[in-house]
Amino acid sequence: MNIEESTTLQLDFTKLNTVQGVIPVAVQDAQSREVILIAYTNEQALRATQRTGELVLWSTSRNELWHKGAGSGNTFAVEEIRVNCEQNSLVYLVRSNGGGMCHTKDAEGMPRRTCYYRRVEGEELVRDE
């Protein structure tokens, strides 16, 4: 079973040990303020987001720009970019142009609305669906 569908807690505390030149981005629904994704950006991805007005991130696993939803057509308009006091993380307030945020699918085969579809209970994960 892959990590995305697993019910066993397998947190990766080493991810940022090998990634440089990025900062975290909390992506929130502009209306509900629900956190739908935590990702990373670098200067190139930030400039692309500002230029296009759509959510562009840096894929730390593929080491490339990630225009969220470009392949599926489920892109996200960035309504506001906020920076923290230390200027080492961002919050993007976004509006979906259709579909869900997560690349994983729910039981009906639809993209999940958020990447946070499981909650931690001890060492196990429980799906909200």
Side-chain angles (χ1 to χ4, degrees):
M1 178 177 292
N2 68 32
I3 197 165
E4 294 159 343
E5 296 301 323
S6 174
T7 56
T8 304
L9 187 62
Q10 304 172 58
L11 299 173
D12 182 0
F13 290 107
T14 65
K15 176 144 183 106
L16 292 183
N17 293 350
T18 59
V19 180
Q20 294 183 354
V22 297
I23 60 173
V25 177
V27 180
Q28 290 182 287
D29 181 278
Q31 184 174 357
S32 71
R33 303 294 187 177
E34 177 182 25
V35 175
I36 47 183
L37 173 70
I38 301 292
Y40 302 94
T41 191
N42 61 11
E43 189 171 352
Q44 182 183 13
L46 173 61
R47 299 297 173 231
T49 296
Q50 291 174 308
R51 185 178 66 255
T52 65
E54 291 191 340
L55 182 58
V56 180
L57 302 162
W58 183 256
S59 171
T60 57
S61 58
R62 295 184 309 270
N63 203 34
E64 65 184 17
L65 281 179
W66 171 27
H67 186 167
K68 184 70 173 123
S72 67
N74 298 330
T75 59
F76 295 83
V78 177
E79 294 189 357
E80 187 175 329
I81 299 174
R82 302 189 64 83
V83 63
N84 73 326
C85 57
E86 296 180 343
Q87 296 197 43
N88 60 10
S89 67
L90 297 170
V91 174
Y92 289 175
L93 300 175
V94 303
R95 181 179 33 81
S96 173
N97 292 326
M101 171 60 84
C102 192
H103 70 279
T104 66
K105 309 272 192 263
D106 64 17
E108 287 78 44
M110 301 300 296
R112 290 182 169 100
R113 176 176 96 299
T114 173
C115 291
Y116 296 93
Y117 54 91
R118 298 172 289 185
R119 65 183 177 281
V120 177
E121 292 186 6
E123 294 299 313
E124 298 297 314
L125 302 177
V126 178
R127 285 189 188 85
D128 290 334
E129 44 194 42

